[in-house]
Amino acid sequence: MTLPVIVIGGGIAGSCVAYFLARAGRPVTVVDAGVHAASMVPSALLNPVRGQAGRVPERALEGLPFTWALLRTLVAVGFDIPHGATGVYRPVPDAKTRAKFDRHCPDGLDAQWQNPDQVPFALTTGHTAVLYLPEGGWVDGAAFTRAVREASGATVIRAQATAWTADAVMLDDGRTLPAAAVVHCGGSVGSSWAGLNGTHRAGTMLLLDRAATPAPVSFGAYLAPAAHGGVLGATFEAPTTQWTPEVLPLTSLKWLLGKGMALVPLAGTAVTGTWSGTRLSGLVAGVDANSVWCLRGLGSQGFLLGPLLAAELAAALLRHGAGDALSP
Ligand SMILES: Cc1cc2nc3c(=O)[nH]c(=O)nc-3n(C[C@H](O)[C@H](O)[C@H](O)COP(=O)(O)OP(=O)(O)OC[C@H]3O[C@@H](n4cnc5c(N)ncnc54)[C@H](O)[C@@H]3O)c2cc1C
């Protein structure tokens, strides 16, 4: 009997690793505690131009079409994944910021400057220009993650892995599962459970009764459509070295509302709930010193880069035992 590859963690990273391994014919088991997954974010941006400096991650130009292709593949076979290939709008406050964005913009990225009054919805005043990224958009993180995991056909075990080696995983119910290989995709909470220090940053999405804009708008925080209404959110809490249970301090709520209203007039919009999560920075993709495969630390780019990096990791693992390159 062929032993399965065991993937620890069923967020977007682990689900995509499972998907690409399974597509290549490998039996896969996903062990997922199913708690505190950043991938359950109600609306994630596919935005290649990051932060307030407008940096473009090295692999963004490959990651963006790869994620869209995977999403379309899943939608084509019947998965319901709320999303919008609407583009992303990045309003900038001054000429200095615009120059920074321009400096970081690579050849090959479709990025179009517009005057604020050209944008097809009302922005709050005070922006000098708006960068429109037609290839970006938004996706329901939870629906996308579940669809990839389900499409993988992997056996899913709802449990916490308490210890593992290169060829076995111990579970909190006392079982030990033998494995052909082990891949750790534990995200923020799982890295802390594994005793690893890292840079963890919590954030919150305010769930809105309506989408404040028809396409995502982002600077400091983001407003985006979602499956039901819209969201206003960001990962903005002070970084910690370990995952800690998320809370929403009133000061954060005030900060977030201030950031949202600095982007778009929000009068008439109601907050219907909140969702909080934690992202882990410091990408680790490959094999560790104990011969355990890892994909962790996707930062705020889990949906932009996660599928691409997962496919590459799966291909590397297969090559280890002979496999082929993978595409969505
Ligand atoms: C507020 C917020 C907004 C964000 N916005 C965006 C965005 O706009 N665009 C974007 O691309 N990204 C965004 N991100 C980042 C993105 O959500 C993450 O990069 C991504 O979800 C990380 O995925 P992951 O699979 O590595 O980890 P996770 O999604 O955290 O999944 C880890 C899973 O592994 C399980 N697990 C861990 N350890 C074990 C174990 N030992 N045994 C069993 N199970 C285990 C956990 O329970 C969890 O289910 C945002 C994050 C937050 C918090």
Side-chain angles (χ1 to χ4, degrees), residues 46-48 59-69 109 135-136 304:
L46 295 180
N47 169 26
R59 309 294 306 280
L61 266 54
E62 295 162 80
L64 187 59
F66 195 91
T67 297
W68 281 129
L109 177 66
E135 291 160 337
L304 180 66

Side-chain angles (χ1 to χ4, degrees), residues 9 11-13 32-33 35 38-39 45 159 161 186 190 193 222 235 277 299-303:
I12 191 65
D32 184 35
V35 293
S39 303
L45 302 197
W193 285 343
Y222 65 85
T235 39
S300 57
Q301 298 154 30
F303 293 89

Side-chain angles (χ1 to χ4, degrees), residues 131-154:
L131 189 65
Y132 176 54
L133 301 154
E135 291 160 337
W138 66 273
V139 60
D140 182 317
F144 190 23
T145 302
R146 286 194 199 104
V148 182
R149 198 166 55 222
E150 205 180 314
S152 76

Side-chain angles (χ1 to χ4, degrees), residues 82-143:
H83 69 281
T86 51
V88 171
Y89 292 84
R90 307 272 348 249
V92 298
D94 50 44
K96 207 170 141 200
T97 310
R98 177 174 175 162
K100 247 190 266 176
F101 273 49
D102 279 336
R103 229 177 11 255
H104 292 138
C105 189
D107 291 341
L109 177 66
D110 192 354
Q112 306 164 10
W113 284 108
Q114 300 183 348
N115 287 325
D117 56 12
Q118 282 179 282
V119 171
F121 50 83
L123 285 166
T124 305
T125 50
H127 304 284
T128 44
V130 182
L131 189 65
Y132 176 54
L133 301 154
E135 291 160 337
W138 66 273
V139 60
D140 182 317

Side-chain angles (χ1 to χ4, degrees), residues 8-14 31-41 43-47 50 158-162 164 184-191 193 201-205 222 233-235 275-280 295-305:
I8 301 169
I12 191 65
V31 175
D32 184 35
V35 293
H36 309 301
S39 303
M40 294 299 117
V41 59
S43 183
L45 302 197
L46 295 180
N47 169 26
R50 316 291 310 172
R158 190 60 83 208
Q160 187 178 335
T162 50
W164 50 91
H184 185 255
C185 300
S188 169
V189 76
S191 298
W193 285 343
R201 201 181 271 271
T204 291
M205 317 294 305
Y222 65 85
T235 39
W275 176 89
S276 296
T278 306
R279 62 172 162 90
L280 171 70
L295 180 56
R296 291 189 298 262
L298 292 168
S300 57
Q301 298 154 30
F303 293 89
L304 180 66
L305 298 181

Side-chain angles (χ1 to χ4, degrees), residues 185-221:
C185 300
S188 169
V189 76
S191 298
S192 288
W193 285 343
L196 303 164
N197 275 339
T199 305
H200 302 252
R201 201 181 271 271
T204 291
M205 317 294 305
L206 302 182
L207 311 180
L208 309 176
D209 66 336
R210 64 180 182 97
T213 52
V217 186
S218 161
F219 194 83

Side-chain angles (χ1 to χ4, degrees), residues 6-24:
I6 299 186
V7 179
I8 301 169
I12 191 65
S15 297
C16 286
V17 169
Y19 174 85
F20 289 109
L21 287 172
R23 268 180 32 119

